[in-house]
Amino acid sequence: MATRESNWAVKIRDQPMATEERSWALEIDDQTENTGNSAEKQQSPKPSIYRVPAYIRRLNCHAYKPQIVSFGPYHHGDPNVMPMEEHKDRALTHFLKRANKSLQDVRTAMAEVVQQLRGAYQSLDGKWAGDERFLHLMILDGCFMLEIIRVATKKPDDGGYEMDEPIFSDHGNLYTVPCIKRDMMMFENQLPLLVLYKLVFVEGRGDCVEYVNELVLTFWDKTLTVEGERRHLLDMLRLSRLGKQSSAATSRGQKNSPKVSIIRSASELREAGIRFRKSKSDSLLDIQFKHGVLSLPKLTVDDSTEYMFLNLMAFERLNIGTGNEVTSYVVFMDSIIDSAKDIKLLHHKRIIRNALGSDTEAAELFNRLAKDVVFVPNSNLSKVQNNVITYSQKKCRRHRANLCRTYFKSPWTTLSLMAAIVLLVLTVVQTIYAVLQFHLSA
């Protein structure tokens, strides 16, 4: 058998190879020999803004496509967002006037990082290969984004716009900016924050990175210290929801990571003796389980919640090394929310503020979010989940919980129980007294 295999291998090796196949093989061999690990890392692109794949998009195709304004190249020119383009020109003019700079000054500064900006996007169309068109897009969209953020955060306070301005006025801030803000959450609709850093630098600010980071976090309604340059607004939104700069090391695989079982719903956990409490902060990381109490961060569920979580999970899923904290939180919440009864319980504990109106609709939202997503066994929530499951499986705690719900549900049932206990004690004392009297008289 060994001889046959050897002869067969020699026969295949000695067969003439086609010219195209030979050149392709030689090219691959040259790359394998000449490209070291360091060079291979340099050649591989490091994008941070992706087109959402079809297998993710099919969960909700509307969650990843902007409805009113486009940022960046992916949706530029879409018919639905074209009406907003004229407002971008006014934002650019206003920015140049405020900064007292020319368009050439901005272009020169942006040209220094054009390759870095282009490399932030995955799979750009060929029409964006030229620097002029791409720079024009970055400057125009960057100025519009910066002006929107400043108007929304009241920085500068006067804004510098007329009262009847359709976008950059109090009226626009009330009716239009919330829709633009939702489009800013979308993964495919991101602009590298490097654009904003450069624009603020052109204005003359030496602390451009710190200024932009603080401005964006205020835009996301958070106060948080973020060090260094960040990738885009969705990246900053994720940090604002986590409440800190997460480390990719927290989500890396670990050897012999504990196996996580399926946790029961909130209403079932309550029947098992587990109590719920609102965490001290609204960070998605602030989930703890101590002494039978599961503490969960406060969350407002509204029309933008689904868009936010789907895009944050896509960001974590497609960017290697980003972390999985948001995804783990969503899967955990889906595990303890099965029906409207669970939403009602968490709402009663002031953990979930349901702005959708219907508890059933809110429960279905969490069930949709976690579809085709698995819980990461070695995530930060693994220990919490396992401790909750272990605690809830002990029968004595389940019986104690049933006793508390039956007899201590309200002050009246508590008083009735105490009265019954007092009556029982008095009956026992009376019986003992009667027995003693009988023996003493005998």
Side-chain angles (χ1 to χ4, degrees), residues 51-60 64 314 317-318 371-372:
R51 290 189 182 275
V52 179
Y55 70 92
I56 297 178
R57 185 184 299 276
R58 66 182 177 83
L59 299 177
N60 187 340
Y64 309 99
R317 196 167 185 172
L318 298 175
K371 189 176 181 180
D372 295 338

Side-chain angles (χ1 to χ4, degrees), residues 366-386:
F366 279 98
N367 298 153
R368 288 196 306 269
L369 286 175
K371 189 176 181 180
D372 295 338
V373 181
V374 296
F375 189 88
V376 183
N378 58 312
S379 70
N380 293 331
L381 285 175
S382 300
K383 184 176 180 180
V384 172
Q385 185 157 331
N386 284 329

Side-chain angles (χ1 to χ4, degrees), residues 68-70 81-88 144 167 176 180:
I68 188 171
V69 62
S70 68
V81 299
M82 284 302 294
M84 191 59 64
E85 292 300 309
E86 62 177 286
H87 302 294
K88 294 181 179 180
F144 183 78
I167 304 295
T176 308
I180 295 176

Side-chain angles (χ1 to χ4, degrees), residues 301-354:
V301 180
D302 54 26
D303 293 333
S304 64
T305 301
E306 184 170 5
Y307 293 91
M308 179 185 70
F309 279 125
L310 284 176
N311 282 278
L312 287 174
M313 289 192 295
F315 174 47
E316 290 186 344
R317 196 167 185 172
L318 298 175
N319 279 271
I320 299 175
T322 296
N324 55 26
E325 292 89 346
V326 175
T327 303
S328 297
Y329 167 82
V330 170
V331 176
F332 182 86
M333 293 301 291
D334 172 61
S335 299
I336 65 173
I337 296 175
D338 283 344
S339 65
K341 184 167 60 174
D342 302 312
I343 293 290
K344 185 178 181 179
L345 170 61
L346 297 178
H347 176 76
H348 177 70
K349 297 298 182 179
R350 297 186 300 170
I351 294 172
I352 287 184
R353 178 178 175 269
N354 184 13

Side-chain angles (χ1 to χ4, degrees), residues 116-131:
Q116 191 174 347
L117 294 175
R118 188 183 284 111
Y121 293 94
Q122 178 207 36
S123 304
L124 280 179
D125 295 336
K127 65 181 180 180
W128 302 110
D131 288 351

Side-chain angles (χ1 to χ4, degrees), residues 49-106:
I49 304 170
Y50 290 75
R51 290 189 182 275
V52 179
Y55 70 92
I56 297 178
R57 185 184 299 276
R58 66 182 177 83
L59 299 177
N60 187 340
C61 60
H62 300 291
Y64 309 99
K65 187 175 182 179
Q67 303 298 313
I68 188 171
V69 62
S70 68
F71 293 101
Y74 287 155
H75 294 279
H76 181 77
D78 288 355
N80 292 337
V81 299
M82 284 302 294
M84 191 59 64
E85 292 300 309
E86 62 177 286
H87 302 294
K88 294 181 179 180
D89 292 329
R90 289 202 318 281
L92 172 60
T93 302
H94 196 86
F95 171 83
L96 295 175
K97 182 179 179 180
R98 175 190 291 156
N100 195 23
K101 299 291 183 179
S102 67
L103 181 57
Q104 184 59 39
D105 294 332
V106 179

Side-chain angles (χ1 to χ4, degrees), residues 265-274 276 341 345 392 397-402 405:
S265 67
S267 54
E268 290 176 320
L269 292 177
R270 183 183 60 174
E271 292 178 358
I274 292 177
F276 292 86
K341 184 167 60 174
L345 170 61
S392 62
R397 294 193 175 109
R398 185 180 295 272
H399 294 325
R400 184 177 64 183
N402 290 331
R405 282 196 308 275

Side-chain angles (χ1 to χ4, degrees), residues 102-321:
S102 67
L103 181 57
Q104 184 59 39
D105 294 332
V106 179
R107 187 204 172 280
T108 301
M110 208 67 67
E112 297 174 356
V113 292
V114 62
Q115 296 303 326
Q116 191 174 347
L117 294 175
R118 188 183 284 111
Y121 293 94
Q122 178 207 36
S123 304
L124 280 179
D125 295 336
K127 65 181 180 180
W128 302 110
D131 288 351
E132 286 303 319
R133 186 172 187 177
F134 184 76
L135 283 174
H136 179 265
L137 177 70
M138 292 291 104
I139 294 172
L140 201 62
D141 285 3
C143 288
F144 183 78
M145 177 178 286
L146 185 59
E147 292 299 295
I148 286 292
I149 295 175
R150 280 173 165 167
V151 167
T153 57
K154 306 294 184 181
K155 294 183 179 181
D157 295 335
D158 59 354
Y161 291 96
E162 300 295 334
M163 294 291 295
D164 59 349
E165 226 288 333
I167 304 295
F168 308 103
S169 63
D170 291 340
H171 183 273
N173 195 26
L174 180 62
Y175 292 101
T176 308
V177 170
C179 299
I180 295 176
K181 191 172 185 178
R182 185 175 63 181
D183 282 351
M184 287 180 173
M185 297 178 180
M186 298 181 181
F187 193 20
E188 293 185 347
N189 206 36
Q190 295 301 304
L191 202 65
L193 273 182
L194 181 57
V195 174
L196 302 192
Y197 296 146
K198 278 294 182 180
L199 289 176
V200 173
F201 177 77
V202 170
E203 287 182 323
R205 296 192 65 103
D207 60 339
C208 55
V209 174
E210 293 80 5
Y211 173 80
V212 171
N213 289 347
E214 181 183 355
L215 194 67
V216 173
L217 286 171
T218 305
F219 180 70
W220 293 131
D221 301 320
K222 294 295 177 183
T223 301
L224 180 68
T225 301
V226 175
E227 299 178 356
E229 297 183 3
R230 304 303 303 184
R231 287 170 280 194
H232 40 67
L233 259 69
L234 187 63
D235 184 18
M236 295 292 282
L237 175 61
R238 179 176 177 273
L239 293 183
S240 72
R241 300 305 302 169
L242 296 180
K244 71 172 186 176
Q245 290 187 240
S246 63
S247 172
T250 60
S251 61
R252 291 175 185 169
Q254 299 176 356
K255 294 182 178 179
N256 301 322
S257 58
K259 184 178 179 180
V260 180
S261 302
I262 298 176
I263 196 171
R264 309 308 303 172
S265 67
S267 54
E268 290 176 320
L269 292 177
R270 183 183 60 174
E271 292 178 358
I274 292 177
R275 292 167 291 160
F276 292 86
R277 181 181 299 165
K278 183 180 68 173
S279 300
K280 295 181 179 180
S281 73
D282 57 357
S283 167
L284 300 185
L285 300 175
D286 194 5
I287 299 179
Q288 301 179 20
F289 182 71
K290 294 181 180 179
H291 309 298
V293 178
L294 179 60
S295 300
L296 298 170
K298 179 181 66 176
L299 176 69
T300 298
V301 180
D302 54 26
D303 293 333
S304 64
T305 301
E306 184 170 5
Y307 293 91
M308 179 185 70
F309 279 125
L310 284 176
N311 282 278
L312 287 174
M313 289 192 295
F315 174 47
E316 290 186 344
R317 196 167 185 172
L318 298 175
N319 279 271
I320 299 175

